[in-house]
Amino acid sequence: QWYQRRVRGELKGKLEMITGASMDSMKIELFNDQNKSIGKLTDDDAVLKNVLANDVRLHVTDPSAANFEDTSAVEKYEMPTEEYEKREDSVQAFKKRNKMGRFNPEVQAKLAAQAEENKEKALKMNIGDRCEARTPKAPIRRGEVMFVGEVEFKDGYWVGIKFDEPVGKHDGVVQGKRYFTCDNKYGGFCQPRFVEVGEFPPELDFSDDEI
């Protein structure tokens, strides 16, 4: 009977067909009806009836099996930039033909004008200036200029602001680099064209005095 047969010859052979794990490298762990591990089958010459009990669950793993979730070790093809530039069936070629995005002269002219405006305004700002940030689709926020200049996370000139209230995104650190220091959620960066400097005192909060 099969119960008299050995682990490798009978059990591992059947498990290989069921699980796809290689008989030569599979590991078998035994669990009882309480789902607790009670040992591992390590002796290929053991007789099944001597190592298996009733209500035992077998957990099969194969250390040699490929990990299809981790693709970091998979060799990937990267097309050289020069070759990609020559292709006529690429997304870039499509955008060029239809003058979309950065291939649209009007868009490029607008971006260049905005970059120049940002630079001109930034050069007129100083650390410690009081300011108002008037970014589109956001409420006006007051604060203090803490940084002015070019940054690593975006192109062009930016203004780092310590807001009077916790309406920011960070504490002056962006992508691991510290540009200024403030409490968390009090720091933010804005394009200079959306920032006005001047006499903007901190707004007083009378909410506790009102009902």
Side-chain angles (χ1 to χ4, degrees):
Q1 296 181 355
W2 71 272
Y3 206 57
Q4 301 289 338
R5 298 176 183 176
R6 300 185 184 279
V7 170
R8 179 177 178 82
E10 181 69 18
L11 181 62
K12 284 192 173 182
K14 289 185 177 296
L15 290 175
E16 184 177 53
M17 292 187 291
I18 295 172
T19 65
S22 171
M23 185 168 64
D24 296 326
S25 57
M26 72 169 58
K27 306 294 182 183
I28 304 174
E29 189 171 1
L30 306 178
F31 289 82
N32 62 18
D33 57 356
Q34 302 298 318
N35 205 33
K36 292 184 179 180
S37 176
I38 57 175
K40 298 180 179 180
L41 285 181
T42 57
D43 185 1
D44 285 350
D45 293 324
V47 177
L48 293 178
K49 71 174 183 178
N50 296 333
V51 295
L52 294 182
N54 293 329
D55 299 323
V56 169
R57 177 172 66 84
L58 306 181
H59 182 73
V60 180
T61 57
D62 186 355
S64 68
N67 184 355
F68 294 103
E69 294 183 359
D70 182 9
T71 61
S72 60
V74 178
E75 185 176 352
K76 302 175 181 64
Y77 172 73
E78 294 186 8
M79 183 180 295
T81 302
E82 297 79 7
E83 183 178 342
Y84 182 73
E85 293 281 353
K86 297 177 182 178
R87 295 184 67 96
E88 297 295 331
D89 57 350
S90 66
V91 173
Q92 178 175 282
F94 175 82
K95 289 184 176 180
K96 285 182 177 179
R97 288 193 298 269
N98 293 277
K99 296 182 179 180
M100 298 172 62
R102 62 189 179 94
F103 302 106
N104 185 330
E106 294 182 0
V107 172
Q108 289 302 302
K110 182 178 180 180
L111 293 175
Q114 291 176 353
E116 185 62 27
E117 181 183 359
N118 281 332
K119 181 178 180 179
E120 290 179 359
K121 292 200 67 175
L123 295 178
K124 297 177 181 178
M125 297 180 185
N126 298 293
I127 305 300
D129 283 347
R130 290 291 302 172
C131 66
E132 277 191 348
R134 303 172 181 177
T135 53
K137 299 181 181 180
I140 294 177
R141 295 164 294 172
R142 289 187 178 183
E144 178 182 343
V145 174
M146 302 292 289
F147 173 92
V148 180
E150 295 181 283
V151 296
E152 294 182 1
F153 57 87
K154 287 283 189 178
D155 293 332
Y157 283 77
W158 289 77
V159 180
I161 301 173
K162 178 178 72 175
F163 295 112
D164 295 337
E165 299 177 351
V167 292
K169 296 183 177 181
H170 48 71
D171 62 352
V173 175
V174 179
Q175 296 181 359
K177 180 174 180 177
R178 180 168 293 283
Y179 292 90
F180 60 92
T181 300
C182 66
D183 291 336
N184 193 30
K185 299 299 182 181
Y186 278 79
F189 277 92
C190 298
Q191 294 185 50
R193 61 197 179 98
F194 297 131
V195 179
E196 295 295 331
V197 297
E199 297 296 328
F200 299 113
E203 295 180 331
L204 299 179
D205 184 3
F206 297 101
S207 57
D208 292 339
D209 299 328
E210 299 177 357
I211 296 177

